[in-house]
Amino acid sequence: MIKTILYKSFTILLTCLVLFSTVSFTVEKHFCGDVLVDVSVFVEADKCEMEALEILQKKTCCKDEISVVEGQDELKFSSFDDLNFEQQQFLATFAYSYINLFEGLPNQIIPHKDYSPPNLVTDIQLLNDTFLI
């Protein structure tokens, strides 16, 4: 039981690692002066009310910081030709044996399929009082 729990938790950990290493996202922060107003992930951060007044007065007290977390975008793809001869031979043999594993057995001929047993007139075991225990 503990083995299956460890196996499943390790599998989930590895899938999350692969997922989060390949996903990229942006974190946007909006500051009004030195005060953090809004933080958002994947979308644009909400602006404060001072932003509209700054456009009219041409002063800048608000600023936006954008942090981009880059994921891994170059994954290694291997082909069958990149493997050495022993590895290619093993994979080809494994695939051939796995495919042939599920082939059906040939139909076997049953010689006594149409044979009907003789009719019993009396039960011989009951007549001789011999019973299997």
Side-chain angles (χ1 to χ4, degrees), residues 26-109:
T26 60
V27 177
E28 188 171 341
K29 300 175 187 174
H30 181 75
F31 290 95
C32 188
D34 291 332
V35 178
L36 179 64
V37 175
D38 190 28
V39 177
S40 66
V41 179
F42 298 118
V43 293
E44 187 175 332
D46 292 335
K47 309 294 184 202
C48 60
E49 287 94 27
M50 295 297 291
E51 187 85 26
L53 294 175
E54 286 180 7
I55 295 172
L56 296 174
Q57 296 175 356
K58 296 190 170 75
K59 293 182 186 176
T60 57
C61 71
C62 295
K63 64 179 179 177
D64 292 325
E65 284 185 13
I66 299 174
S67 303
V68 178
V69 179
E70 291 288 333
Q72 182 181 2
D73 59 348
E74 293 180 13
L75 298 176
K76 181 181 177 186
F77 293 106
S78 298
S79 68
F80 187 72
D81 297 329
D82 294 339
L83 302 174
N84 60 20
F85 179 70
E86 288 83 15
Q87 292 172 337
Q88 287 179 358
Q89 188 177 15
F90 173 76
L91 283 176
T93 307
F94 180 77
Y96 178 76
S97 64
Y98 188 75
I99 290 170
N100 289 335
L101 179 70
F102 297 110
E103 270 186 13
L105 295 174
N107 291 334
Q108 295 181 352
I109 299 171

Side-chain angles (χ1 to χ4, degrees), residues 1-10:
M1 175 159 167
I2 191 93
K3 187 177 180 181
T4 58
I5 293 172
L6 283 173
Y7 177 75
K8 289 182 181 182
S9 62
F10 189 66

